[in-house]
Amino acid sequence: MSTTTVHRINLDNPLSDNSSVSQTELPFTFQQVKAAIPSECFAPNVWRSLAYFFADAAIIAGLYAAAIAIDAWWFYPIFWFATGTMFWAFFVVGHDCGHGSFSRSKWLNNLIGHLTHIPILVPYHGWRISHRTHHQNTGNIDTDESWYPVTASEYKGMDWIGKLIRFDALLFAYPFYLFKRSPARTTASHFMPNNDLFRESETNDIITSTACWLMMVGFLGWLGFTYGFLFLFKFYIVPYLIFVVWLDLVTYLHHTEADIPWYRGKDWFFFKGALSTIDRDYGIFNDIHHNIGTHVAHHLFIGIPHYYLKTATEAIKPVLGDYYRVSSEPIWKSFFTSQKACKVVPDEGTTVYYHNQV
């Protein structure tokens, strides 16, 4: 279990942190990459952001209206997949809120963040803060928060439940992560403020989101009690599970590839670690889930709204050269290849890669 100090980097100005200054080994600087991006990409358009929120909400409402009107079992698989996918799109809108790229208004970001996250059982502030830690420590084996590698010795010490969730049932791992966190980290809940995921000053935020989450759980319990479990199963549980699959699939593939390096100790710094991600092509789903697969630019500059990520990516590709990673491989092929090849990393070494020997 790691006791390494987590990096608290100012993501709006990463170079203010000493760990980001040592970048002479890269053939370009952080400032050069940022300068290549049109300045308008860094300015959220609140009306455009709200348009995505209301459009997603309207589509979800329309799907529910159609399911109620048709009420036929042949339609429910279509409804489940479409609604679960739109839950994921809703999450991505809230993802912008968590990064402050939805708008410049903190209260509006928090409001829309809760409206997009609580209905899909994500505690907004708890997720927002732990996700910030992920961005501050990307590519660092000891301090990253999301889909970081397990070392060979850590793998041997895991119980069968941990191995099952992390390696076999990983597409359903997210709810467990919210309650328990990931392997090789101190157990912590996203619903409780008194753990090392959060600072004392963030206590009220965690309590607020947890209270909202509990109200949503209570509402779902009332639906099940009033209309029966089958009603809840048809109209919520299955779409929710499809949302979880989308979330785990996409976030896993953001950072899991055999040729993506991971770092330890002084070999890591923010700029280099942020490059340890890969862009993916989700075909017809790219626009539906707001181009979240364009992930390299997002990790370098969290302030870019999702609707400018493609523009920013095209701008930085010539600067990054071979340091820009992208895969055009079919998504499910990438997933099964990575699941098989990317098991553990060595216990020693400052720059390491996944291998499949456990």
Coordinates of all heavy atoms in Angstrom, one line a residue, residues 247-285:
L247 N -18.9 3.9 -18.9 CA -18.0 4.6 -18.1 C -16.7 3.8 -17.9 O -15.6 4.4 -18.1 CB -18.6 5.0 -16.7 CG -17.8 6.0 -15.8 CD1 -18.8 6.7 -14.9 CD2 -16.8 5.3 -15.0
D248 N -16.8 2.6 -17.5 CA -15.6 1.8 -17.2 C -14.9 1.5 -18.5 O -13.6 1.5 -18.5 CB -16.0 0.5 -16.5 CG -16.3 0.7 -15.0 OD1 -15.5 1.4 -14.4 OD2 -17.2 0.0 -14.5
L249 N -15.6 1.2 -19.6 CA -14.9 0.9 -20.9 C -14.1 2.1 -21.3 O -12.9 1.9 -21.7 CB -16.0 0.5 -21.9 CG -15.5 0.4 -23.4 CD1 -14.6 -0.9 -23.5 CD2 -16.6 0.3 -24.4
V250 N -14.7 3.3 -21.4 CA -14.0 4.4 -21.9 C -12.9 4.9 -21.0 O -11.8 5.1 -21.5 CB -15.0 5.6 -22.1 CG1 -14.3 6.8 -22.6 CG2 -16.1 5.2 -23.2
T251 N -13.1 4.9 -19.7 CA -12.0 5.4 -18.8 C -10.9 4.4 -18.8 O -9.7 4.8 -18.7 CB -12.5 5.7 -17.4 OG1 -13.2 4.5 -16.9 CG2 -13.5 6.8 -17.4
Y252 N -11.2 3.1 -18.8 CA -10.1 2.1 -18.9 C -9.3 2.2 -20.2 O -8.1 2.2 -20.1 CB -10.8 0.7 -18.9 CG -9.9 -0.5 -19.1 CD1 -9.1 -1.0 -18.1 CD2 -9.8 -1.1 -20.3 CE1 -8.2 -2.1 -18.2 CE2 -8.9 -2.2 -20.5 CZ -8.2 -2.7 -19.5 OH -7.3 -3.8 -19.7
L253 N -9.9 2.4 -21.3 CA -9.2 2.5 -22.6 C -8.5 3.9 -22.7 O -7.6 4.0 -23.5 CB -10.2 2.4 -23.7 CG -10.7 0.9 -23.9 CD1 -11.7 0.9 -25.1 CD2 -9.5 0.0 -24.2
H254 N -8.8 4.9 -21.9 CA -8.1 6.1 -21.9 C -6.6 5.9 -21.5 O -5.7 6.6 -22.0 CB -8.7 7.1 -20.9 CG -9.9 7.8 -21.4 ND1 -10.8 8.4 -20.5 CD2 -10.4 8.0 -22.6 CE1 -11.8 9.0 -21.3 NE2 -11.6 8.7 -22.5
H255 N -6.4 5.0 -20.6 CA -5.1 4.9 -20.0 C -4.5 3.5 -20.0 O -3.4 3.2 -19.4 CB -5.2 5.3 -18.5 CG -5.7 6.7 -18.4 ND1 -4.9 7.8 -18.6 CD2 -6.9 7.2 -18.0 CE1 -5.6 8.9 -18.4 NE2 -6.9 8.5 -18.1
T256 N -5.1 2.6 -20.8 CA -4.6 1.2 -20.8 C -4.2 0.8 -22.2 O -5.1 0.6 -23.0 CB -5.6 0.2 -20.2 OG1 -6.1 0.8 -18.9 CG2 -5.0 -1.1 -20.0
E257 N -2.9 0.6 -22.4 CA -2.4 0.2 -23.7 C -1.0 -0.3 -23.4 O -0.3 0.2 -22.6 CB -2.4 1.3 -24.7 CG -2.0 0.9 -26.1 CD -3.1 0.3 -26.9 OE1 -4.2 0.1 -26.4 OE2 -2.9 0.1 -28.1
A258 N -0.5 -1.3 -24.1 CA 0.8 -2.0 -23.8 C 1.9 -1.0 -23.9 O 3.0 -1.2 -23.3 CB 1.0 -3.2 -24.6
D259 N 1.8 0.0 -24.8 CA 3.0 0.8 -25.1 C 2.9 2.2 -24.3 O 3.7 3.1 -24.6 CB 3.2 1.1 -26.6 CG 2.1 1.9 -27.2 OD1 1.0 2.1 -26.5 OD2 2.3 2.4 -28.3
I260 N 1.9 2.3 -23.4 CA 1.8 3.5 -22.6 C 2.7 3.4 -21.4 O 2.6 2.5 -20.6 CB 0.4 3.8 -22.2 CG1 -0.4 4.2 -23.4 CG2 0.3 4.9 -21.1 CD1 -1.9 4.5 -23.1
P261 N 3.7 4.3 -21.2 CA 4.6 4.2 -20.0 C 4.0 4.7 -18.7 O 3.1 5.6 -18.7 CB 5.8 5.1 -20.4 CG 5.1 6.1 -21.3 CD 4.0 5.4 -22.1
W262 N 4.4 4.1 -17.6 CA 4.0 4.5 -16.3 C 5.3 4.9 -15.5 O 6.3 4.2 -15.8 CB 3.2 3.5 -15.6 CG 1.8 3.4 -16.1 CD1 1.4 2.6 -17.2 CD2 0.7 4.0 -15.6 NE1 0.1 2.8 -17.4 CE2 -0.4 3.6 -16.5 CE3 0.4 4.8 -14.5 CZ2 -1.7 4.0 -16.3 CZ3 -0.9 5.2 -14.3 CH2 -1.9 4.9 -15.2
Y263 N 5.2 5.8 -14.6 CA 6.4 6.3 -14.0 C 6.4 6.2 -12.5 O 5.3 6.2 -11.9 CB 6.6 7.8 -14.4 CG 6.6 8.0 -15.9 CD1 5.5 8.6 -16.5 CD2 7.7 7.7 -16.7 CE1 5.5 8.8 -17.9 CE2 7.7 7.9 -18.1 CZ 6.6 8.4 -18.6 OH 6.5 8.6 -20.0
R264 N 7.6 6.2 -11.9 CA 7.7 6.3 -10.4 C 8.7 7.4 -10.0 O 9.6 7.7 -10.8 CB 8.3 5.0 -9.9 CG 7.4 3.8 -9.9 CD 8.0 2.6 -9.1 NE 7.1 1.4 -9.1 CZ 7.2 0.4 -9.9 NH1 8.2 0.4 -10.9 NH2 6.4 -0.6 -9.8
G265 N 8.5 7.9 -8.8 CA 9.5 8.8 -8.2 C 9.8 10.0 -9.1 O 8.9 10.6 -9.7
K266 N 11.1 10.3 -9.1 CA 11.5 11.6 -9.8 C 11.5 11.4 -11.3 O 11.6 12.4 -12.0 CB 13.0 11.9 -9.4 CG 13.1 12.4 -7.9 CD 14.5 12.8 -7.6 CE 14.5 13.2 -6.1 NZ 15.9 13.6 -5.7
D267 N 11.2 10.2 -11.8 CA 11.1 10.1 -13.3 C 9.7 10.6 -13.8 O 9.5 10.8 -15.0 CB 11.2 8.6 -13.7 CG 11.7 8.5 -15.1 OD1 12.5 9.3 -15.6 OD2 11.2 7.5 -15.8
W268 N 8.8 10.9 -12.8 CA 7.5 11.4 -13.2 C 7.5 12.9 -13.0 O 8.0 13.4 -12.0 CB 6.4 10.8 -12.3 CG 5.0 11.3 -12.6 CD1 4.1 10.8 -13.5 CD2 4.4 12.5 -12.0 NE1 3.0 11.6 -13.5 CE2 3.1 12.6 -12.6 CE3 4.8 13.4 -11.0 CZ2 2.2 13.6 -12.2 CZ3 3.9 14.4 -10.7 CH2 2.7 14.5 -11.2
F269 N 6.8 13.6 -13.9 CA 6.4 15.0 -13.7 C 5.1 15.2 -14.5 O 4.8 14.4 -15.4 CB 7.4 16.1 -14.1 CG 8.0 16.0 -15.5 CD1 7.4 16.6 -16.5 CD2 9.2 15.3 -15.7 CE1 7.9 16.5 -17.8 CE2 9.7 15.2 -17.0 CZ 9.1 15.8 -18.0
F270 N 4.3 16.2 -14.1 CA 3.0 16.4 -14.6 C 2.9 16.3 -16.1 O 2.1 15.5 -16.7 CB 2.4 17.7 -14.1 CG 1.1 18.0 -14.8 CD1 -0.1 17.4 -14.5 CD2 1.1 18.9 -15.9 CE1 -1.3 17.7 -15.1 CE2 -0.1 19.2 -16.6 CZ -1.3 18.5 -16.2
F271 N 3.7 17.1 -16.8 CA 3.6 17.2 -18.3 C 3.8 15.8 -18.9 O 3.1 15.4 -19.8 CB 4.6 18.2 -18.8 CG 4.5 18.6 -20.2 CD1 3.4 18.4 -20.9 CD2 5.6 19.1 -20.8 CE1 3.3 18.8 -22.3 CE2 5.6 19.5 -22.2 CZ 4.4 19.3 -22.9
K272 N 4.8 15.1 -18.5 CA 5.1 13.8 -19.1 C 4.0 12.8 -18.7 O 3.6 12.0 -19.6 CB 6.5 13.3 -18.6 CG 6.9 12.0 -19.3 CD 8.4 11.7 -19.0 CE 8.7 11.3 -17.6 NZ 10.1 10.8 -17.4
G273 N 3.6 12.8 -17.5 CA 2.5 11.9 -17.1 C 1.2 12.1 -17.8 O 0.5 11.2 -18.2
A274 N 0.9 13.4 -18.1 CA -0.3 13.7 -18.8 C -0.3 13.2 -20.2 O -1.4 13.0 -20.8 CB -0.5 15.3 -18.9
L275 N 0.8 12.9 -20.8 CA 0.9 12.3 -22.1 C 0.7 10.8 -22.1 O 0.6 10.2 -23.2 CB 2.3 12.7 -22.7 CG 2.5 14.1 -23.1 CD1 4.0 14.4 -23.4 CD2 1.6 14.6 -24.2
S276 N 0.6 10.2 -20.9 CA 0.4 8.8 -20.8 C -1.1 8.5 -21.0 O -1.7 7.9 -20.1 CB 0.9 8.2 -19.5 OG 2.3 8.2 -19.6
T277 N -1.7 8.9 -22.1 CA -3.1 8.6 -22.4 C -3.2 8.5 -23.9 O -2.2 8.7 -24.6 CB -4.1 9.6 -21.8 OG1 -5.4 9.2 -22.1 CG2 -3.8 11.0 -22.5
I278 N -4.3 8.0 -24.4 CA -4.4 7.7 -25.8 C -5.8 8.1 -26.3 O -6.8 7.9 -25.6 CB -4.2 6.2 -26.1 CG1 -4.2 5.9 -27.6 CG2 -5.1 5.3 -25.3 CD1 -3.7 4.5 -27.9
D279 N -5.9 8.6 -27.5 CA -7.1 9.0 -28.1 C -7.7 7.7 -28.8 O -7.0 6.9 -29.4 CB -7.0 10.1 -29.2 CG -6.8 11.4 -28.6 OD1 -6.7 11.5 -27.3 OD2 -6.7 12.4 -29.4
R280 N -9.0 7.6 -28.7 CA -9.7 6.4 -29.3 C -10.9 6.9 -30.2 O -11.4 8.0 -30.0 CB -10.4 5.5 -28.2 CG -9.4 5.1 -27.2 CD -8.7 3.8 -27.6 NE -7.9 3.3 -26.5 CZ -7.1 2.2 -26.6 NH1 -7.0 1.6 -27.8 NH2 -6.4 1.8 -25.6
D281 N -11.2 6.1 -31.2 CA -12.3 6.4 -32.1 C -13.5 5.5 -31.8 O -13.4 4.3 -31.9 CB -11.8 6.2 -33.6 CG -12.9 6.6 -34.6 OD1 -13.9 7.1 -34.2 OD2 -12.6 6.3 -35.8
Y282 N -14.6 6.1 -31.4 CA -15.8 5.4 -31.0 C -16.8 5.4 -32.1 O -18.0 5.2 -31.9 CB -16.4 5.9 -29.7 CG -15.5 5.6 -28.5 CD1 -14.4 6.4 -28.2 CD2 -15.7 4.5 -27.8 CE1 -13.6 6.1 -27.1 CE2 -14.9 4.2 -26.7 CZ -13.8 5.0 -26.4 OH -13.0 4.7 -25.3
G283 N -16.4 5.8 -33.3 CA -17.3 5.8 -34.5 C -18.5 6.7 -34.3 O -18.4 7.9 -34.0
I284 N -19.7 6.1 -34.5 CA -20.9 6.9 -34.5 C -21.2 7.5 -33.1 O -22.0 8.4 -32.9 CB -22.1 6.1 -34.9 CG1 -22.4 4.9 -34.0 CG2 -22.0 5.7 -36.4 CD1 -23.7 4.2 -34.3
F285 N -20.5 6.9 -32.1 CA -20.7 7.4 -30.7 C -19.9 8.6 -30.3 O -20.1 9.2 -29.2 CB -20.5 6.2 -29.7 CG -21.4 5.1 -29.9 CD1 -21.0 3.9 -30.5 CD2 -22.7 5.1 -29.4 CE1 -21.8 2.9 -30.7 CE2 -23.6 4.1 -29.6 CZ -23.1 2.9 -30.2

